[in-house]
């Protein structure tokens, strides 16, 4: 009888533990979904940092919020923030283009994102240039100049 009571207590403890852990996981999913919802609202209001964070969320997806990666949406949000002069978004957008072998876009955004204090971005731009044809490099430089003009307006 005592062994049976002990098994019942163990089983009930396991059920309780699973329900607590399961509830916590569900709460985390809800919190993550809420975080994404708030970021989306802020991003739609034009807040560059929220656009950047939302883009990263789309890049990696969010298992807790049951969201798959979506590179097209990531690109759109990085671009919106980058066009506001948000340097981390410019850098990330360049990296996204680099990973998809769009060397012209990558070169242009690395150029825009590079600065005297950001040697890594300039180095990435130069590495990108080594992979480009002369024609593509000229096109990348032209696009970078156009983007810089647009950003300065």
């Amino acid at each position: 009888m005592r062994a049976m009571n002990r098994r019942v207590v163990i089983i009930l403890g396991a059920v309780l533990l699973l329900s607590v852990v399961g509830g916590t996981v569900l709460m985390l999913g809800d919190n993550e979904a809420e975080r994404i919802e708030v970021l989306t609202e802020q991003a739609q209001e034009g807040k560059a940092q929220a656009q950047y964070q939302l883009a990263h969320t789309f890049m990696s997806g969010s298992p807790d919020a049951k969201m798959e990666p979506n590179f097209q949406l990531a690109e759109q949000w990085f671009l919106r923030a980058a066009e506001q002069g948000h340097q981390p978004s410019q850098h990330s957008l360049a990296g996204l283009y680099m990973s998809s072998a769009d060397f012209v876009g990558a070169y242009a955004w690395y150029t825009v994102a590079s600065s005297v204090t950001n040697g890594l971005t300039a180095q990435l731009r130069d590495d990108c240039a080594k992979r480009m044809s002369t024609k593509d490099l000229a096109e990348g430089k032209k696009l970078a100049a156009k983007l810089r003009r647009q950003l300065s307006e």
Side-chain angles (χ1 to χ4, degrees), residues 21-42:
V21 169
T24 302
V25 168
L26 288 175
M27 282 177 30
L28 286 175
D30 289 345
N31 288 342
E32 180 65 5
E34 288 173 15
R35 183 188 74 82
I36 292 168
E37 187 176 322
V38 169
L39 274 178
T40 301
E41 289 172 11
Q42 292 173 348

Side-chain angles (χ1 to χ4, degrees), residues 87-101:
Q87 194 275 338
S89 293
Q90 295 167 346
H91 181 93
S92 294
L93 185 60
L96 180 65
Y97 288 150
M98 188 74 175
S99 69
S100 64

Side-chain angles (χ1 to χ4, degrees), residues 93-147:
L93 185 60
L96 180 65
Y97 288 150
M98 188 74 175
S99 69
S100 64
D102 176 359
F103 299 127
V104 172
Y107 180 88
W109 281 107
Y110 277 139
T111 298
V112 169
S114 66
S115 67
V116 176
T117 59
N118 190 344
L120 174 61
T121 302
Q123 182 180 353
L124 290 168
R125 178 203 55 215
D126 295 345
D127 289 343
C128 179
K130 292 175 186 174
R131 299 176 184 207
M132 300 170 74
S133 67
T134 305
K135 179 184 173 197
D136 284 346
L137 183 57
E139 190 178 333
K141 288 179 179 182
K142 184 178 176 180
L143 179 57
K146 178 183 174 186
L147 291 169

